[in-house]
Amino acid sequence: MLYISKHILQRLYLNGKYVVPNSYLVNRRLHAEAQTHRGLVAVQGEEAAPFLQGLVTNDVNHLEHGATSMYSMFLNTQGRVLFDSVIYKKDEAFLIECDACRVQQLMKHLKMYRVRRKISIDCVDKDYCVWSLFDTDINWKDITPMDMDSLYMNPKSESEVSIKLNVKHESDMLVTRDSRLRYLGHRVIASVNADMKDVLPSIEASKGLFKDLRYKLGVSEGMEEIPYTKAFPLEANCDYLHGVSFHKGCYIGQELTARTFHTGVVRKRYMPLSFSSDASDLPFDVNVLNEKGKAVGKVRGICGQVGIGLMRIEECLAAHELKAEGFTVQTYKPAWWPYEASKERAK
């Protein structure tokens, strides 16, 4: 039997832990999708934590002090995104999730900075795979803005799960709440031979539903949506998705990221798109135009009638009509965005 909170946000914080009261527990049917487009790199060794600390936007100490996963990005020296990743702590190893087609490139990047540190860097795609367990039955009206005070802390409670699994050997599997946004459900690192039906008998296999959910929430992922060296982390909502620490020490790309956050205005961000009809044939990076013919954004991903785009926030929200290659487009500020974090709002 599977139990999950009626709305994932409806939790209580008690004695340092989030708990789900019995009155909120209901039987739910979750969807499971193997994230075959995502790969895993294992970094292990006594110097692995300080090594990663100098390369990623988030604070590796969260994983050292009890969190099982965290969202983060690898940047170049100009502060642009090289890889978006979810980093997991499994036993003594750090497992870094990134696009499967970029695994070798990520390993090369890591080895370039390894120097003489006592760490190993290995591809583990043949051993593990990534799954998403999620609920598509979201009450969109109940989504509330995140608390600004908790945006950048990513505490251990952020990765605690609300799923009861039928697993004989849980040590072979890592289950964690999606560290980007709780509405995305849970992430599972399992053996390549694992069958989710054995773990959750009531699970429904699906294909494409997770991308549809991500787009509706305005969450980008992977090189197709976040092109290599073409986007900044705050544009990709890395700060909103618990993926940036502004309290840790230096890391590659930190200077520009911190300066933008503290003194600048993030004028462009990834936002959800809704098309008037199936727009799957639209080319990547096509411009979104307002009624005056001015480009106010670019399409970065499409799944049927929903998509995601890098949009000029104020201009696209002020437009009376948006078009992309003949398609009527609508966009909106996701309800989970924190109020105060939107500096353009204070103008």
Side-chain angles (χ1 to χ4, degrees):
M1 186 67 69
L2 164 68
Y3 294 97
I4 190 168
S5 53
K6 184 176 181 180
H7 303 302
I8 302 177
L9 275 180
Q10 290 178 315
R11 293 164 172 266
L12 296 180
Y13 193 71
L14 182 63
N15 295 328
K17 293 184 178 180
Y18 279 100
V19 296
V20 183
N22 290 333
S23 59
Y24 289 149
L25 292 179
V26 293
N27 292 337
R28 302 299 292 270
R29 184 175 292 275
L30 295 187
H31 295 272
E33 280 189 19
Q35 303 298 297
T36 55
H37 63 290
R38 304 291 278 180
L40 290 167
V41 174
V43 178
Q44 192 168 2
E46 59 184 48
E47 298 181 87
F51 167 67
L52 290 175
Q53 186 77 317
L55 295 177
V56 300
T57 57
N58 213 335
D59 191 343
V60 176
N61 286 321
H62 296 313
L63 298 175
E64 291 287 88
H65 296 129
T68 53
S69 70
M70 71 177 192
Y71 183 53
S72 191
M73 289 183 171
F74 292 82
L75 311 180
N76 64 11
T77 53
Q78 289 76 43
R80 294 179 180 269
V81 180
L82 297 178
F83 314 96
D84 67 299
S85 66
V86 180
I87 305 179
Y88 308 88
K89 184 68 180 297
K90 181 169 173 47
D91 301 324
E92 299 302 316
F94 294 95
L95 300 181
I96 306 173
E97 174 195 324
C98 73
D99 266 13
C101 61
R102 292 286 183 180
V103 163
Q104 294 303 318
Q105 195 170 359
L106 173 59
M107 291 178 64
K108 182 178 179 180
H109 178 75
L110 294 172
K111 290 177 180 179
M112 181 173 64
Y113 289 99
R114 177 174 57 182
V115 195
R116 296 182 179 179
R117 290 185 178 89
K118 298 178 181 179
I119 58 175
S120 62
I121 301 170
D122 303 289
C123 174
V124 291
D125 285 350
K126 294 182 179 179
D127 302 315
Y128 298 102
C129 61
V130 182
W131 288 79
S132 285
L133 305 181
F134 57 98
D135 186 359
T136 57
D137 186 19
I138 293 177
N139 188 334
W140 298 92
K141 294 181 179 179
D142 282 355
I143 296 179
T144 54
M146 284 186 293
D147 178 10
M148 270 293 295
D149 292 335
S150 66
L151 259 187
Y152 314 111
M153 302 308 290
N154 198 11
K156 176 183 176 181
S157 55
E158 284 298 319
S159 60
E160 289 186 350
V161 301
S162 58
I163 293 179
K164 183 178 180 180
L165 299 176
N166 297 326
V167 182
K168 293 182 179 179
H169 304 289
E170 293 194 20
S171 59
D172 296 334
M173 183 175 293
L174 177 65
V175 184
T176 179
R177 196 170 64 187
D178 196 305
S179 52
R180 296 169 292 183
L181 189 64
R182 58 189 68 194
Y183 297 104
L184 291 173
H186 292 72
R187 216 73 166 172
V188 179
I189 305 297
S191 166
V192 292
N193 300 318
D195 186 346
M196 285 298 112
K197 280 288 186 181
D198 294 334
V199 177
L200 291 169
S202 59
I203 210 77
E204 284 187 2
S206 65
K207 187 175 182 179
L209 288 181
F210 186 67
K211 179 183 284 189
D212 181 90
L213 176 63
R214 278 200 301 107
Y215 285 177
K216 289 177 180 177
L217 289 167
V219 178
S220 55
E221 177 182 281
M223 61 168 289
E224 290 186 0
E225 298 163 22
I226 312 174
Y228 190 73
T229 73
K230 300 297 184 183
F232 293 102
L234 304 192
E235 291 179 346
N237 297 320
C238 190
D239 53 338
Y240 287 8
L241 295 169
H242 305 93
V244 183
S245 171
F246 294 102
H247 308 287
K248 62 178 274 188
C250 294
Y251 56 89
I252 295 176
Q254 179 262 349
E255 184 178 354
L256 181 61
T257 304
R259 187 191 316 138
T260 302
F261 174 76
H262 290 295
T263 66
V265 173
V266 183
R267 302 185 186 280
K268 296 186 294 182
R269 284 188 181 270
Y270 279 77
M271 298 174 68
L273 301 177
S274 176
F275 295 91
S276 54
S277 57
D278 191 328
S280 299
D281 293 331
L282 269 181
F284 173 80
D285 235 17
V286 66
N287 284 329
V288 178
L289 308 177
N290 64 13
E291 66 277 7
K292 297 178 181 178
K294 180 181 178 182
V296 296
K298 289 182 179 292
V299 176
R300 286 289 169 83
I302 301 172
C303 183
Q305 287 186 242
V306 298
I308 195 166
L310 179 58
M311 310 297 291
R312 294 187 176 276
I313 304 170
E314 287 190 350
E315 296 177 45
C316 71
L317 294 178
H320 296 292
E321 184 181 56
L322 296 175
K323 292 277 189 178
E325 295 284 322
F327 289 90
T328 299
V329 186
Q330 293 182 324
T331 188
Y332 51 91
K333 189 180 293 188
W336 56 268
W337 278 14
Y339 288 130
E340 295 82 358
S342 187
K343 294 176 183 167
E344 58 271 10
R345 186 174 175 271
K347 281 186 168 183

